[in-house]
Amino acid sequence: MKLTDLNFHHLRYFWMVANTGSLTAAAERLGLRAQTLSSQITQLEQTLGRALFQPVGRGLGLTEAGRIALRYADQIFQLGEQMAESLGDEQLDYTLRLSVGIADALPKTVSFHMIEPILGMQRPVRLVCQEGRFETLCSELVQHSVDVVLAERPGGQGTAHLQVAKLLTYPVRIFASPNLKQKYEANFPQSLQHAPFLMPSRNNVLRLKLEHWFESVGVEVTVVGEFDDLALLETFGRAGLGLFAVPAMLIEDVVRDNTVVHMGDAQGVVEDFFAFTHPRNLNHPALKLLFGLGGMANPNTNPNRLD
């Protein structure tokens, strides 16, 4: 079967019956006779070469083929509704739409500051943000599903042909509960020898940087936890289970309730944050701003970023 063989009116009829569980109820909502509706669905089944419904008691139930068809039909008609809503926007020709993929290892506050310059544009911007694995988001970027990907790494698999810009750079600072600070603050950083430490998972660039720093200052910490989510890592740090390191930009968020305090800096360790896009997207006004094109400054040129 080819896509051109599929009658989307028939597919919608099937979708209505599947969601109502009744030919009669679906026929009433569609303004059709139940007999007409049944005939249309039979034509769809003949096109697909599969039975979509089976008798269940006095009603109808989906076959395995019907369940698969319903899953796709849900996506098709959901996208159709979204398209109609988007095209019906009176500000469509003036509002800029930007689909942003945010790598799941990227702190939420950092992602906001990365796209903050866009929010000051004269034209209104409608952001559509989604979070996911970096590799998956880059694949979606190539497939036109997102316009830009924000991440904590400078590249990776599938990024060779992408445009990349470093947007932010921050020093890395170490935090601890007051009790742990009192225990390990003397002669920092050598005092960190065998100190309990909460680390990012091994797929996080910061993990490698911290390990190199510990080696350079001649200490070996005791890793008591590893986390994909830095917000979760911070929660465990607040509970006093270990020291932890985060970019300096997050300091206000981290110390807001005095459950943790600044222990010291990982001297020479910085965390860089990057934006990726496909070259074809660089005509987008918002991406021109982010990537420093068209005479607009790249946010990374701000000298205060390392304060």
Side-chain angles (χ1 to χ4, degrees), residues 105-172:
L106 192 66
K108 307 298 187 292
T109 304
V110 172
S111 62
F112 168 77
H113 284 289
M114 292 178 76
I115 60 178
E116 190 175 13
I118 293 174
L119 305 180
M121 296 180 63
Q122 289 187 345
R123 289 180 65 179
V125 178
R126 179 176 180 178
L127 294 174
V128 180
C129 298
Q130 67 179 79
E131 190 177 46
R133 292 180 63 251
F134 174 71
E135 294 80 4
T136 302
L137 292 173
C138 287
S139 176
E140 293 185 8
L141 184 60
V142 173
Q143 297 171 13
H144 313 274
S145 298
V146 297
D147 300 314
V148 63
V149 172
L150 308 180
E152 83 299 348
R153 64 188 71 182
Q157 184 177 1
T159 64
H161 302 294
L162 298 179
Q163 189 85 11
V164 58
K166 182 167 66 175
L167 300 188
L168 299 174
T169 298
Y170 293 106
V172 171

Side-chain angles (χ1 to χ4, degrees), residues 11 22 28 49 70 108 138 165 169 186 191 219 229 252 270 275 295:
L11 183 64
S22 164
E28 289 178 356
L70 178 60
K108 307 298 187 292
C138 287
T169 298
S191 59
V219 300
D229 186 344
E252 291 185 3
V270 298

Side-chain angles (χ1 to χ4, degrees), residues 279-290:
R280 68 169 181 269
N281 295 334
L282 288 175
N283 286 329
H284 193 296
L287 294 183
K288 282 185 178 180
L289 176 61
L290 277 188

Side-chain angles (χ1 to χ4, degrees), residues 264-284:
D265 288 3
Q267 292 292 340
V269 180
V270 298
E271 179 108 78
D272 299 319
F273 300 100
F274 301 87
F276 298 82
T277 193
H278 195 282
R280 68 169 181 269
N281 295 334
L282 288 175
N283 286 329
H284 193 296

Side-chain angles (χ1 to χ4, degrees), residues 2-215:
K2 297 181 295 185
L3 179 63
T4 52
D5 296 330
L6 185 62
N7 187 311
F8 282 88
H9 287 295
H10 295 170
L11 183 64
R12 185 170 182 83
Y13 297 156
F14 155 75
W15 184 61
M16 291 292 293
V17 174
N19 280 291
T20 61
S22 164
L23 270 172
T24 303
E28 289 178 356
R29 292 183 61 177
L30 292 167
L32 299 172
R33 293 188 304 158
Q35 184 178 358
T36 301
L37 190 57
S38 177
S39 173
Q40 302 294 316
I41 292 174
T42 298
Q43 291 183 45
L44 176 63
E45 291 177 322
Q46 291 173 347
T47 300
L48 297 174
R50 300 278 185 176
L52 301 176
F53 291 105
Q54 58 188 355
V56 176
R58 295 184 177 181
L60 291 174
L62 292 169
T63 63
E64 182 59 28
R67 282 188 284 272
I68 293 173
L70 178 60
R71 186 166 68 246
Y72 283 106
D74 281 339
Q75 296 177 27
I76 289 170
F77 293 118
Q78 181 181 18
L79 286 172
E81 290 174 0
Q82 291 174 359
M83 181 184 72
E85 179 184 349
S86 296
L87 294 178
D89 186 351
E90 294 181 357
Q91 296 293 317
L92 178 64
D93 294 332
Y94 185 64
T95 301
L96 295 171
R97 184 184 184 279
L98 187 70
S99 178
V100 183
I102 302 172
D104 50 17
L106 192 66
K108 307 298 187 292
T109 304
V110 172
S111 62
F112 168 77
H113 284 289
M114 292 178 76
I115 60 178
E116 190 175 13
I118 293 174
L119 305 180
M121 296 180 63
Q122 289 187 345
R123 289 180 65 179
V125 178
R126 179 176 180 178
L127 294 174
V128 180
C129 298
Q130 67 179 79
E131 190 177 46
R133 292 180 63 251
F134 174 71
E135 294 80 4
T136 302
L137 292 173
C138 287
S139 176
E140 293 185 8
L141 184 60
V142 173
Q143 297 171 13
H144 313 274
S145 298
V146 297
D147 300 314
V148 63
V149 172
L150 308 180
E152 83 299 348
R153 64 188 71 182
Q157 184 177 1
T159 64
H161 302 294
L162 298 179
Q163 189 85 11
V164 58
K166 182 167 66 175
L167 300 188
L168 299 174
T169 298
Y170 293 106
V172 171
R173 292 179 175 159
I174 296 174
F175 297 85
S177 65
N179 289 341
L180 286 177
K181 180 182 180 181
Q182 185 176 8
K183 184 176 180 179
Y184 293 103
E185 67 179 335
N187 196 31
F188 178 90
Q190 281 67 36
S191 59
L192 299 181
Q193 181 71 12
H194 302 311
F197 215 93
L198 304 170
M199 295 283 273
S201 59
R202 293 192 177 276
N203 63 358
N204 191 304
V205 177
L206 180 57
R207 171 66 174 266
L208 184 61
K209 292 180 178 180
L210 286 172
E211 289 177 342
H212 285 168
W213 181 72
F214 289 136
E215 183 178 354

